[in-house]
Amino acid sequence: MTLSQADPFHFVVLIPHRDSAQALEPYSRKLFAAGFAGAYSFPNVAPLAFVSRACSRGELKALGLSQRNLIAGGRDGKVRVLPPHIVACPSPALALFGPVLDTPVPAPEMFPAGAALYCFPRLILCAALLGPGDEALTRQAILPELSVPPFRAAMLANMSLSPLDSGAPAYSFAWEIGEPVWLPAYKASEARGKGSEICS
């Protein structure tokens, strides 16, 4: 495939444990069969923010620690997967559809200075990009059943998304995910000590 000459869009994404990520793959396939043309246009990851540049490994580690602390507060360190929802990124203009992750979202100040151009209002594990008319499809189509197990282990990574020269513009993208960084391991004793300091 030939990529457009336009600069790629950069995101920081949360990648769930393999068992949870693999459980979403058949859901995306069933969405495609139900008429969602964008089911293969975005990887099964949860975007945290649209950013101006890729983060360094050290910056990802610092963000991972912050995200672990957010997840730990009153949650047993687990991220639970809730029914699907639509979340929009105004620039670039993307609408993502997928199950909501029951975890607080990182604030812009948790990212490197000036890097976060847009923080997603909630985290969703993307199952499909939505194009024109697809939002109505989410209400009209018989959606497949969703069963994604909760998870503690997760990674953060940079992701670039590049428009393709051919195909329907709303769905035609190629992506590249950088080397991931694991979130620190969950420690119940530390979580109890920090509970009063963590926003939920």
Side-chain angles (χ1 to χ4, degrees):
M1 295 183 292
T2 303
L3 294 182
S4 163
Q5 294 303 308
D7 291 337
F9 306 123
H10 296 285
F11 297 86
V12 174
V13 298
L14 180 85
I15 305 171
H17 184 273
R18 180 179 62 252
D19 291 347
S20 295
Q22 288 180 342
L24 194 63
E25 292 175 7
Y27 183 74
S28 290
R29 287 197 299 271
K30 291 175 183 177
L31 286 179
F32 187 79
F36 288 79
Y40 298 120
S41 299
F42 201 93
N44 296 147
V45 298
L48 274 66
F50 170 50
V51 292
S52 59
R53 61 171 178 83
C55 293
S56 69
R57 189 168 182 82
E59 289 168 340
L60 286 177
K61 284 184 176 181
L63 182 60
L65 176 59
S66 297
Q67 190 64 30
R68 170 56 72 198
N69 289 339
L70 288 175
I71 293 171
R75 299 165 185 271
D76 267 348
K78 283 188 177 180
V79 177
R80 292 168 180 84
V81 183
L82 305 180
H85 194 81
I86 299 169
V87 66
C89 180
S91 179
L94 299 172
L96 300 91
F97 177 74
V100 174
L101 300 183
D102 178 26
T103 177
V105 297
E109 55 268 23
M110 292 183 179
F111 292 84
L117 300 176
Y118 176 77
C119 288
F120 285 83
R122 66 183 71 189
L123 301 189
I124 71 159
L125 192 51
C126 187
L129 282 187
L130 300 185
D134 287 345
E135 186 168 346
L137 191 59
T138 65
R139 298 188 296 270
Q140 298 165 1
I142 299 176
L143 298 177
E145 290 187 7
L146 175 67
S147 180
V148 180
F151 58 92
R152 286 193 179 99
M155 300 175 286
L156 294 184
N158 294 299
M159 189 191 96
S160 62
L161 187 73
S162 301
L164 296 174
D165 286 334
S166 59
Y171 309 118
S172 301
F173 297 94
W175 65 81
E176 183 177 354
I177 296 176
E179 183 180 357
V181 170
W182 285 101
L183 270 61
Y186 171 72
K187 297 180 181 178
S189 59
E190 291 184 8
R192 285 193 294 270
K194 295 178 181 177
S196 62
E197 303 171 10
I198 298 171
C199 299
S200 57

